[in-house]
Amino acid sequence: MPHIKKTLLALAVSAAVGVPTAATAQEVTIGVSIPAATHGWTGGVNFHAEQAKERLESLYPDIEITISTAGDPGEQANDLEDLVSQRDIDALVVLPFESGPLTDPVRRVKEEGVFVTVVDRGLDQEGIEDLYVAGNNHELGRVSGEYIRERLDGEGEIVVLRGIPTVIDDERVQGFQEAIEGSDIEILDMQHANWNRDDGFEVMQDFLARFDNIDAVWAQDDDIALGVIEAVRQAEREDELFIVGGAGMKDIIERVMEGDDLVPVDVLYPPAMIATAMDLTVQHFTSNGPVVGEYILGSPLITPENAEEYYYPDSPF
């Protein structure tokens, strides 16, 4: 079950199994604002948002959900204005394209009396949103580090491919370093690969050229991991090391399910968290319990034994 941090959430069991707990007193319009599918993870966000919209509107006939996607922060800010002025939304579920540029636009939405749920990328100012739903970045790093430490029996040489320089990236790296602290595992180098497949390929090519021995790779993100896999295979060094990614991309999950020695495990950071956020926002209008605070999802280790639980074959991610 997901870990709930600093929360006052009260969710009915029937909601978890998809049965409405109560009818809404009046029609409710919920706006969902998310980044466009510019890379794999946000493609998964879009997929799960559409799936949740279809499911929730079927369960709750008085609830209408409008989804808008944006290619940059400015477009997303304009979308928020339109959701308020044209759609007259009662609630907003927003995954900010970037935290800083979206803080004031979300604040203005909140000032209109709208219930606000922020997903994944927090705003620059605390206290604007009613509900915050996110993955556990520190735990993602910790779980990855603990697996690598155990797999290497506490000693070895590894490389790390970080994401984009953000608080999220810092939290993941902090958790990872804490997990290997006190061991004889040496980080040969740590470079940003921007949660991008091509950058992951280029950074890993450089690592492979400079280091004759690499026992393991922490790629931090599955898009990066795909680039790392290609670089390792082109260098014909796949028998020397293993790779730990993160997120739950279906291509990586398939490799884990098949027992791929190069990618033995993955760590969950699900794009399906957008569906969790939408579910909880609906519960604000349908449940007699409070739905406010923070809902922080866990980051379990995905292994061949449990991989099927996290596999979404129809998702683009």
Side-chain angles (χ1 to χ4, degrees):
M1 294 293 290
H3 171 61
I4 303 177
K5 173 188 176 187
K6 196 176 65 178
T7 182
L8 297 175
L9 296 172
L11 299 178
V13 172
S14 55
V17 297
V19 179
T21 60
T24 54
Q26 58 186 6
E27 292 186 0
V28 172
T29 301
I30 298 173
V32 178
S33 174
I34 54 180
T38 55
H39 66 285
W41 194 83
T42 53
V45 169
N46 280 252
F47 170 81
H48 287 288
E50 292 289 349
Q51 294 284 305
K53 167 182 164 67
E54 181 179 346
R55 172 174 52 81
L56 289 168
E57 287 183 338
S58 176
L59 287 169
Y60 301 97
D62 292 331
I63 288 179
E64 178 184 358
I65 297 174
T66 298
I67 298 174
S68 62
T69 61
D72 58 59
E75 183 181 355
Q76 189 172 30
N78 291 334
D79 287 345
L80 298 188
E81 290 184 9
D82 291 343
L83 287 170
V84 173
S85 62
Q86 298 182 22
R87 305 297 300 180
D88 192 25
I89 58 173
D90 301 289
L92 170 68
V93 178
V94 56
L95 197 164
F97 202 99
E98 293 179 11
S99 299
L102 269 299
T103 296
D104 283 340
V106 174
R107 181 192 294 111
R108 289 193 289 270
V109 172
K110 179 61 182 173
E111 289 171 351
E112 295 294 326
V114 173
F115 182 90
V116 173
T117 299
V118 173
V119 186
D120 186 43
R121 302 164 190 171
L123 303 174
D124 278 357
Q125 179 183 332
E126 295 183 1
I128 295 175
E129 71 274 9
D130 299 282
L131 176 64
Y132 178 60
V133 178
N136 192 326
N137 290 285
H138 186 276
E139 185 180 357
L140 183 148
R142 178 186 62 78
V143 171
S144 302
E146 287 179 350
Y147 176 81
I148 289 175
R149 179 174 182 160
E150 181 178 352
R151 175 74 180 266
L152 294 179
D153 293 325
E155 59 180 350
E157 297 176 320
I158 70 172
V159 293
V160 173
L161 291 87
R162 304 182 61 162
I164 294 171
T166 58
V167 172
I168 288 175
D169 175 72
D170 290 341
E171 290 174 349
R172 293 180 180 184
V173 171
Q174 180 184 13
F176 183 84
Q177 290 177 318
E178 290 174 359
I180 65 171
E181 186 177 358
S183 72
D184 291 323
I185 293 175
E186 177 187 0
I187 298 177
L188 298 170
D189 199 359
M190 185 184 300
Q191 298 290 334
H192 291 281
N194 304 311
W195 296 321
N196 180 276
R197 189 177 311 186
D198 292 339
D199 290 349
F201 176 79
E202 292 179 4
V203 172
M204 192 62 201
Q205 273 194 322
D206 175 63
F207 286 164
L208 291 166
R210 289 195 287 125
F211 302 119
D212 292 333
N213 181 71
I214 299 174
D215 296 306
V217 181
W218 182 41
Q220 201 203 85
D221 173 83
D222 288 340
D223 277 305
I224 296 174
L226 290 180
V228 171
I229 290 168
E230 183 59 29
V232 170
R233 287 190 167 166
Q234 286 192 17
E236 298 182 347
R237 292 178 61 176
E238 55 263 48
D239 293 334
E240 302 175 20
L241 53 81
F242 64 91
I243 302 161
V244 177
M249 177 189 285
K250 70 176 183 180
D251 291 347
I252 299 296
I253 299 297
E254 286 176 353
R255 293 175 184 274
V256 174
M257 291 171 65
E258 293 167 359
D260 188 336
D261 291 336
L262 188 60
V263 189
V265 298
D266 197 30
V267 183
L268 187 67
Y269 193 84
M273 68 176 67
I274 190 67
T276 303
M278 293 166 68
D279 285 337
L280 294 174
T281 302
V282 167
Q283 288 303 301
H284 171 70
F285 298 98
T286 61
S287 171
N288 64 343
V291 182
V292 294
E294 294 187 359
Y295 192 96
I296 307 300
L297 296 158
S299 294
L301 185 70
I302 302 173
T303 67
E305 290 72 30
N306 65 7
E308 191 172 354
E309 298 175 29
Y310 306 103
Y311 182 58
Y312 296 93
D314 296 329
S315 172
F317 179 82

